[in-house]
Amino acid sequence: MRTKQLRVAGVLVATFAIVLSACSSSATTAPSAPSASGSAAAATCPSGSTQIEVQSWWTTGGESTGLQKLFDAFNAANPGLCAYNAAIAGGAGTAAQAVIKSRTLAGNPPDTFQVHMGHELLDTYVNLSGGSVLAPLDSSVIDPSKFPAGVVSIISGKDGKIYTVPMNIHRANVLWYNKKVFSDNNLTPPTTWDEFNTTAATLKAKGITPLAVGDNGIWAYGMVFETILISELGADGFNGLWTGATKWDDPKVTAALNELKTVTGFINADHNSLSWDQANQLVIDGKAAMTIMGDWANGDYVAKNFTGYGWAAAPGNDKIYQALADSFPLPAKAPHPDAVKKLLAFMASQQGQDIFNPYKGSIPARIDAGNPPAGQQQYNDYQKSAMAEWKTDTVVPSMEHGAAAAPAWKSAIEAALTTFETGLDVAATQTALAAAAKDAGF
Amino acid sequence: MRRLTRDRLFAIVLLAPAIVAVTIFVYGMIAWTGWVSLSKANDLSFDMSWNGLANYESIFASIRFQIDLRNLVVFTVFFVGISLVIGIVLANMLDRKIRAEGFFRSVILFPMAISFIVTGVVWKWLLTPTAGVNVLLGLDPASNRWFTDPTVIHLGTDSPAGKILSDLGLGALASTEFGIPVALFSLVIAAVWQMSGFVMALYLAGLRGIPDELREAARVDGASEWQVFRRVILPLLTPVTVTSVIILGHISLKIYDLQQAMTKAGPGFATDFPSAFMWQTAFTDNAFAKGAAVGIVMLVLVATLIVPYLAWSRGQETE
């Protein structure tokens, strides 16, 4: 009896130890990650060199390769300087962003870091009650005449100065489709949302999911809503949503929500348990006909060796290029400001952009880039077509990817859409969207 | 006397690092968070000037936070309740001096050696409507949607009970605001699977501590087996029950990892909790003061559970 009690007690002590270790390990993983990866990357720098810590959330695939190629070229051209990628994985960048913000608050920022261009940058770091925590960039670093006006306006603070270097451009409003499904059913990609509704009804009647959405993060659903808004409002009207010129209680926003309600009836039933790439897989497998996603989907098709895909602007989005970009700013308290300026100038140059972007699957933000030197990775067909459109299309910002609205406003819009997706209450959602704009100061 | 002082000095020296660390990193941080929650530090300028209770008003006015609090109550009630029932049933089964008891005890305990992240991923696979459980049991994915089901069970203000509540001016109790989200049950299943073995171990230890003489005496007095359990065993297990409720309760109130691995708050906000809201408010929206306010509300919730327990266990010790 006695020994049995002891044994049970032993089991209990062991279980408590497990509980404790489980608690402590989950608590320590986040803060320990940056130092671990940072020191590992810094180890590749020669001793005595000035190490430029670049904090990103690019840890794998073409994006980390592209960044490394960029650093290799920069480090070779600048003896004594060594840029390295202090990457933090996880949560599509949210883990890295939390670390960067904490470090900035503590007055110990990295030399430069990855941040979405637009209001995510401006409203987090620049337009603050206590003044910018970033330093403005002069023309020796970035030449604004080489970037489209739509980009320059959302990398400039209220003082008109430029605060970040956009590295790349991704397009958000693209319709991807399975060519075989469309040809088997004698269909063509819809160019308006009315056409979409007809096409989708045909597909649904044949047991094919018309539109694949993977919104276990609500942003994928938000991107569909944005393309409908662009279609209803046009480029100027859509831009006006983010400046107060277009009101969120506008009848056209009502129409957009009604269309979103219709579209929601055409998406896969398991949408909220899938990620965007799992939804993409439905298109590859022919179980779904279309998906609306940013052009990183192109990289997903390439990586999965699938060639039977086609692309078009999202319905009603022709000649409008909804852009998002990763960019790199100069923190006011960066440890090595002069070295960072050299790196940023290289990132803003034609050469730097053409080294990085073929790997990343995006296109250069500079309008005069697009010709990587021979012997380097070249742009693929999708990228070439996107570059042609980038030079001629009207540029509008992406809300879901930080360009159009402040983070808190985006969260409020996402909260309204999250509720809308399950209840499909157009009037209540529009009220919530209008309230969100009011809270954001518009 | 000299020996005692030396002993005491030694004890103080040994304890000092822990006391300093706990003072700074636990109580200091709590005080700092409390202070931030009363400030205007809602961007990276970190303006620490006085803002009163404005941040608390803002979060309590947020519909999402109201949903979070409802979810937290529903999840805690079902998770703790079901874990206790399953734990006590398993403990009683193992207490029958069955063969291979050690084997079964280990098997039932093993899930709690896994982190909630792993549990969440595995149960997400198992409960995905188009795979796992539905396929195994031949259930229709369209009607068995598990954690993707957006339904919120509620009385409805048109139902007979709802009408009575409306007449009493408590109509809100019959609406979705006080409903039970179906998707939460998938999280409850995963959490119960992980933690009921732990409750079983606690109860088993408790049962082993009850002398057989007590049961025999009750049986001699003519009590049925159920009466023995209900009137003799269960009251003697009260300390174990209280301990279990405290341990499970504080895990439940702080739940984050399981939800992140399984549902990421969806569908809608059916499985959202204050912890996820706190993270998003502070680190995505840069509203650090509001995030701190959510943290303080969570602390108060846990404290309402823990403080009475500490008082109660002190009372037990002095008895």
Side-chain angles (χ1 to χ4, degrees):
Chain A
M1 195 67 207
R2 186 98 196 129
T3 50
K4 218 164 199 179
Q5 273 183 30
L6 280 174
R7 254 164 56 194
V8 174
V11 169
L12 279 179
V13 169
T15 53
F16 265 116
I18 293 165
V19 173
L20 285 176
S21 64
C23 296
S24 62
S25 67
S26 63
T28 49
T29 38
S32 69
S35 60
S37 57
S39 58
T44 60
C45 284
S47 61
S49 61
T50 303
Q51 298 183 0
I52 307 173
E53 183 187 10
V54 182
Q55 201 135 56
S56 77
W57 57 86
W58 289 332
T59 52
T60 55
E63 44 200 35
S64 72
T65 312
L67 193 61
Q68 195 52 52
K69 297 276 178 193
L70 178 98
F71 290 163
D72 290 346
F74 174 77
N75 295 343
N78 294 278
L81 298 185
C82 178
Y84 69 97
N85 180 10
I88 299 168
T94 52
Q97 286 159 358
V99 172
I100 292 163
K101 286 173 195 171
S102 310
R103 289 185 61 177
T104 307
L105 273 177
N108 171 36
D111 282 305
T112 182
F113 56 86
Q114 181 184 356
V115 58
H116 288 135
M117 101 182 155
H119 280 266
E120 185 174 317
L121 163 94
L122 297 175
D123 294 324
T124 303
Y125 298 102
V126 180
N127 299 331
L128 302 178
S129 52
S132 172
V133 293
L134 301 177
L137 302 171
D138 57 32
S139 57
S140 68
V141 175
I142 178 169
D143 176 2
S145 68
K146 303 292 186 206
F147 294 85
V151 168
V152 174
S153 71
I154 55 172
I155 58 174
S156 305
K158 281 179 179 161
D159 55 6
K161 291 175 183 160
I162 291 182
Y163 279 92
T164 196
V165 172
M167 269 302 293
N168 60 356
I169 293 294
H170 274 295
R171 184 174 187 176
N173 56 343
V174 187
L175 178 84
W176 307 89
Y177 60 95
N178 184 313
K179 279 183 178 168
K180 187 169 180 302
V181 171
F182 270 71
S183 60
D184 286 354
N185 295 288
N186 295 319
L187 294 167
T188 52
T191 57
T192 66
W193 283 103
D194 284 340
E195 274 181 48
F196 175 91
N197 295 346
T198 325
T199 309
T202 315
L203 287 162
K204 197 177 182 181
K206 295 190 174 169
I208 300 164
T209 301
L211 187 72
V213 175
D215 60 354
N216 66 358
I218 189 69
W219 58 268
Y221 189 67
M223 285 175 73
V224 176
F225 180 49
E226 284 190 86
T227 61
I228 300 175
L229 281 174
I230 292 171
S231 168
E232 290 287 340
L233 294 160
D236 288 343
F238 180 78
N239 281 331
L241 286 173
W242 316 109
T243 60
T246 308
K247 295 293 170 206
W248 282 88
D249 49 16
D250 193 283
K252 285 180 178 171
V253 177
T254 321
L257 281 167
N258 276 317
E259 176 58 29
L260 182 64
K261 186 176 173 179
T262 311
V263 171
T264 306
F266 289 128
I267 66 181
N268 43 312
D270 55 355
H271 59 95
N272 55 26
S273 65
L274 301 186
S275 58
W276 71 269
D277 50 320
Q278 288 170 324
N280 226 13
Q281 188 64 43
L282 295 177
V283 178
I284 294 174
D285 295 342
K287 289 178 187 162
M290 298 172 273
T291 189
I292 286 176
M293 188 37 66
D295 58 11
W296 45 93
N298 187 59
D300 193 48
Y301 294 125
V302 172
K304 288 172 178 166
N305 287 320
F306 177 67
T307 51
Y309 68 99
W311 66 84
N317 281 235
D318 197 31
K319 302 288 170 216
I320 299 174
Y321 201 107
Q322 193 188 21
L324 58 123
D326 297 292
S327 72
F328 290 86
L330 173 62
K333 292 184 180 169
H336 314 103
D338 295 329
V340 185
K341 279 183 193 166
K342 279 187 186 163
L343 175 65
L344 294 181
F346 186 65
M347 286 174 157
S349 71
Q350 204 179 333
Q351 189 198 357
Q353 303 230 322
D354 278 337
I355 292 174
F356 174 75
N357 283 299
Y359 290 99
K360 170 74 170 116
S362 46
I363 63 166
R366 266 179 90 107
I367 33 185
D368 60 349
N371 294 302
Q376 291 213 15
Q377 179 94 353
Q378 300 293 316
Y379 293 104
N380 64 26
D381 288 345
Y382 170 77
Q383 286 168 307
K384 283 175 186 161
S385 78
M387 270 186 276
E389 284 157 355
W390 176 242
K391 284 169 185 139
T392 54
D393 285 6
T394 310
V395 175
V396 300
S398 156
M399 180 274 293
E400 280 296 349
H401 299 281
W409 190 3
K410 176 182 139 187
S411 288
I413 293 171
E414 288 186 336
L417 289 178
T418 302
T419 314
F420 178 79
E421 194 179 23
T422 53
L424 297 176
D425 186 338
V426 171
T429 305
Q430 192 163 14
T431 310
L433 290 172
K438 191 160 171 274
D439 285 346
F442 293 99
Chain B
M1 199 61 197
R2 188 164 162 258
R3 214 185 121 80
L4 190 70
T5 11
R6 237 177 106 181
D7 247 13
R8 288 185 60 171
L9 193 71
F10 190 55
I12 289 168
V13 169
L14 281 183
L15 282 175
I19 290 172
V20 170
V22 168
T23 308
I24 296 173
F25 293 108
V26 178
Y27 296 101
M29 295 293 179
I30 289 174
W32 169 249
T33 305
W35 187 28
V36 171
S37 76
L38 299 170
S39 77
K40 290 180 182 162
N42 281 321
D43 68 22
L44 261 94
S45 298
F46 221 79
D47 174 8
M48 283 299 289
S49 52
W50 183 253
N51 200 15
L53 292 173
N55 294 313
Y56 289 91
E57 283 165 18
S58 160
I59 60 165
F60 277 106
S62 148
I63 290 168
R64 179 173 171 188
F65 190 62
Q66 293 167 8
I67 293 173
D68 291 350
L69 291 176
R70 173 200 72 189
N71 291 349
L72 197 61
V73 171
V74 172
F75 179 77
T76 304
V77 167
F78 282 94
F79 164 54
V80 175
I82 296 173
S83 293
L84 285 183
V85 171
I86 291 181
I88 203 165
V89 167
L90 288 174
N92 274 289
M93 284 163 71
L94 284 183
D95 198 35
R96 298 284 141 142
K97 300 183 176 64
I98 55 165
R99 204 183 293 171
E101 184 207 314
F103 170 76
F104 286 112
R105 201 172 55 210
S106 304
V107 165
I108 296 167
L109 254 182
F110 271 152
M112 73 160 297
I114 301 172
S115 85
F116 266 128
I117 291 284
V118 180
T119 305
V121 171
V122 170
W123 278 98
K124 182 182 179 175
W125 290 339
L126 286 173
L127 296 179
T128 294
T130 48
V133 172
N134 279 356
V135 175
L136 266 178
L137 303 180
L139 299 172
D140 177 16
S143 51
N144 293 278
R145 298 182 61 192
W146 300 104
F147 62 87
T148 63
D149 193 334
T151 318
V152 177
I153 302 170
H154 60 286
L155 284 172
T157 38
D158 299 332
S159 68
K163 276 190 180 128
I164 296 171
L165 284 170
S166 301
D167 291 342
L168 294 168
L170 297 169
L173 286 175
S175 69
T176 54
E177 277 110 45
F178 288 88
I180 299 171
V182 173
L184 264 186
F185 285 106
S186 299
L187 289 185
V188 170
I189 291 170
V192 165
W193 176 80
Q194 171 144 352
M195 293 309 295
S196 54
F198 172 70
V199 180
M200 184 257 334
L202 286 177
Y203 273 120
L204 197 54
L207 284 171
R208 296 287 152 84
I210 298 173
D212 276 342
E213 291 80 357
L214 283 178
R215 302 173 207 220
E216 275 155 28
R219 285 186 196 119
V220 168
D221 285 348
S224 69
E225 279 305 304
W226 170 248
Q227 282 172 322
V228 173
F229 178 73
R230 175 72 190 80
R231 304 280 173 199
V232 178
I233 308 290
L234 212 49
L236 285 169
L237 288 176
T238 307
V240 179
T241 307
V242 173
T243 308
S244 307
V245 168
I246 298 301
I247 292 173
L248 296 184
H250 93 274
I251 291 175
S252 174
L253 291 174
K254 295 187 294 190
I255 193 93
Y256 177 72
D257 32 12
L258 183 68
Q259 173 242 34
Q260 287 297 306
M262 246 180 118
T263 60
K264 294 214 172 67
F269 288 121
T271 59
D272 197 35
F273 293 117
S275 50
F277 182 63
M278 174 175 73
W279 163 269
Q280 185 167 18
T281 310
F283 293 106
T284 306
D285 300 356
N286 309 324
F288 304 103
K290 285 181 196 167
V294 179
I296 293 293
V297 172
M298 286 172 68
L299 177 75
V300 169
L301 286 175
V302 175
T304 51
L305 193 67
I306 300 282
V307 171
Y309 170 69
L310 292 179
W312 174 82
S313 64
R314 269 185 75 92
Q316 294 267 307
E317 276 162 29
T318 48
E319 250 169 34

